[in-house]
Amino acid sequence: MTELLSKEVKAEIDRWLKKYPEAQKRSALLPALRFTQEANDNWLSEDLVKAVAEYLDQPHIAAFEVATFYHMYNLKPVGRYQLNVCGSISCKLCDCKGIVDHLKQKLDINVGDTTKDGKFTLKEVGCLAACVNAPMMQINKDYHENLTPERVDSILETLE
């Protein structure tokens, strides 16, 4: 199954494996899943998760535990832009629910869904560590803070 991983992904995983003792290959699981996901349109199929586990000589369940625990791993295809709205207590107190509701209405999707055109996927995630500027969301790798519905609209307009 490891043949599903590209040469480039294997090289990145190998680079990370050098950082850990031979008996601690599981330590490279998070970055290995990230590299694999990035090489596959930002999502991990069941077979790719298994391939990563096998490449690291780990049981499949070990890779699935990580892939299902952390919100940064996508186990189904996602939109070109992943809108991750922080749902931590700070963001809740600053009305992240209003931001989520605004995005649901504007994009005509529910949390966990992707727009029909494949452009946006909406998620509510745990703390993104920007509490001082709540409410906030992460779009792909970029943070957007101090959100209002109007600010969200202007951010979305800038996306191709």
Side-chain angles (χ1 to χ4, degrees):
M1 191 156 287
T2 60
E3 67 277 357
L4 295 175
L5 304 176
S6 70
K7 259 188 333 190
E8 295 79 16
V9 167
K10 288 178 182 177
E12 280 294 313
I13 294 171
D14 291 343
R15 190 173 66 78
W16 274 81
L17 282 171
K18 291 177 185 173
K19 298 178 182 199
Y20 306 107
E22 177 67 26
Q24 298 298 320
K25 288 184 177 182
R26 187 173 181 168
S27 299
L29 194 50
L30 274 79
L33 288 168
R34 181 171 49 93
F35 303 138
T36 304
Q37 177 172 277
E38 288 172 356
N40 190 54
D41 292 326
N42 280 314
W43 76 284
L44 294 165
S45 68
E46 186 174 321
D47 285 342
L48 284 172
V49 175
K50 289 178 181 177
V52 168
E54 288 178 16
Y55 193 75
L56 295 175
D57 299 319
Q58 299 297 308
H60 293 165
I61 190 65
F64 280 102
E65 287 171 344
V66 170
T68 58
F69 180 78
Y70 292 101
H71 75 264
M72 71 267 254
Y73 301 115
N74 302 304
L75 300 179
K76 64 181 184 178
V78 293
R80 187 174 39 215
Y81 298 103
Q82 295 174 65
L83 311 177
N84 296 311
V85 179
C86 183
S88 72
I89 188 66
S90 296
C91 286
K92 284 188 187 307
L93 290 171
C94 293
D95 196 29
C96 67
K97 183 182 180 323
I99 299 300
V100 170
D101 289 344
H102 179 73
L103 285 164
K104 286 168 48 177
Q105 181 180 11
K106 181 169 184 67
L107 302 174
D108 192 30
I109 58 174
N110 288 311
V111 173
D113 292 342
T114 300
T115 55
K116 289 179 179 70
D117 62 3
K119 190 171 181 179
F120 299 107
T121 296
L122 177 60
K123 292 167 105 178
E124 187 173 348
V125 299
C127 185
L128 289 169
C131 301
V132 70
N133 294 316
M136 65 85 58
M137 73 175 159
Q138 179 183 20
I139 301 177
N140 296 346
K141 293 183 179 181
D142 297 321
Y143 274 26
H144 300 274
E145 302 170 346
N146 299 310
L147 296 176
T148 63
E150 296 77 25
R151 182 154 156 62
V152 167
D153 289 346
S154 69
I155 292 166
L156 294 181
E157 288 172 12
T158 67
L159 302 176
E160 58 185 69

